[in-house]
Amino acid sequence: MSRLDAFLARLNAQKLLLEEIATAIADVPGPVLELGLGNGRTFDHLREILPGREIFVFDRAVSAHPASIPDGEHMIVGEIRETLAFCGPRVKAPAAFVHCDLGTGDPTADLAKAQWLAPLITERTASGGFVASGVAMDLPDFEELPIPPGLEKSRYRLYRKR
Ligand SMILES: C[S@@+](CC[C@H](N)C(=O)[O-])C[C@H]1O[C@@H](n2cnc3c(N)ncnc32)[C@H](O)[C@@H]1O
């Protein structure tokens, strides 16, 4: 698959998965954690499809489109390895949904990141809450759910905490 095809598959999967999860978390209280603001595209979509739901966004830097930047209380700047571990006083409740979009495309770097991320995500997700990740993760407290048909090429993985 060319990188252009892979990019299109990822964007398409992101939109469909985010919309599916937005419906699925209707009865799960708690905020949404967006790991990776980037350009702000998925954050902007999440706030559109989840009006009224608190969304906290994590990134080491703010370089998004100016129209897609969270307010100061909900933008958590820094290395996620540190900010996710210590965001409790600010985020407070366990998350109904964690969207993890930190993949680099480098398999070794992604594997290393998934190792330290998995326990932090486990700690911050509510029971019954969902995780969608661009990289596979070892999450023993979660059930891996099937990816909706047609989205297999996106490499997205979907998990629900028991
Ligand atoms: C692929 S982009 C996110 C794209 C975004 N979801 C969008 O739709 O525009 C990944 C982002 O994750 C951030 N990132 C990656 N690893 C990080 C880390 N360890 N700590 C903090 N931010 C990180 C990068 O700075 C980058 O902005």
Side-chain angles (χ1 to χ4, degrees):
M1 196 191 322
S2 73
R3 288 185 56 218
L4 181 58
D5 281 333
F7 181 63
L8 289 174
R10 181 168 142 253
L11 292 189
N12 186 41
Q14 280 183 327
K15 178 174 153 54
L16 295 174
L17 266 182
L18 296 183
E19 288 169 1
E20 187 147 317
I21 294 167
T23 305
I25 62 169
D27 295 329
V28 186
V32 169
L33 306 186
E34 165 82 326
L35 307 185
L37 174 67
N39 188 268
R41 274 186 286 252
T42 48
F43 162 65
D44 193 43
H45 198 60
L46 280 168
R47 68 180 172 180
E48 190 173 297
I49 61 179
L50 287 167
R53 181 79 68 158
E54 248 192 322
I55 306 174
F56 290 91
V57 186
F58 296 69
D59 206 302
R60 60 168 62 101
V62 178
S63 54
H65 185 283
S68 305
I69 297 175
D71 62 58
E73 183 56 22
H74 292 86
M75 181 71 233
I76 300 181
V77 181
E79 280 300 312
I80 286 172
R81 197 170 187 162
E82 294 163 5
T83 53
L84 194 57
F86 295 100
C87 67
R90 190 151 155 196
V91 173
K92 299 184 182 79
F97 175 40
V98 180
H99 177 225
C100 179
D101 189 17
L102 303 172
T104 59
D106 178 287
T108 309
D110 287 350
L111 202 58
K113 199 173 280 185
Q115 284 294 311
W116 58 256
L117 256 178
L120 296 176
I121 286 180
T122 299
E123 196 184 324
R124 296 248 40 100
T125 307
S127 178
F130 290 78
V131 172
S133 171
V135 295
M137 283 204 222
D138 185 17
L139 294 168
D141 297 345
F142 290 67
E143 173 191 6
E144 181 160 4
L145 304 177
I147 285 291
L151 302 185
E152 298 85 357
K153 285 184 182 169
S154 70
R155 299 197 198 128
Y156 251 95
R157 302 293 187 100
L158 186 57
Y159 307 89
R160 185 167 201 196
K161 196 168 182 192
R162 294 189 187 93

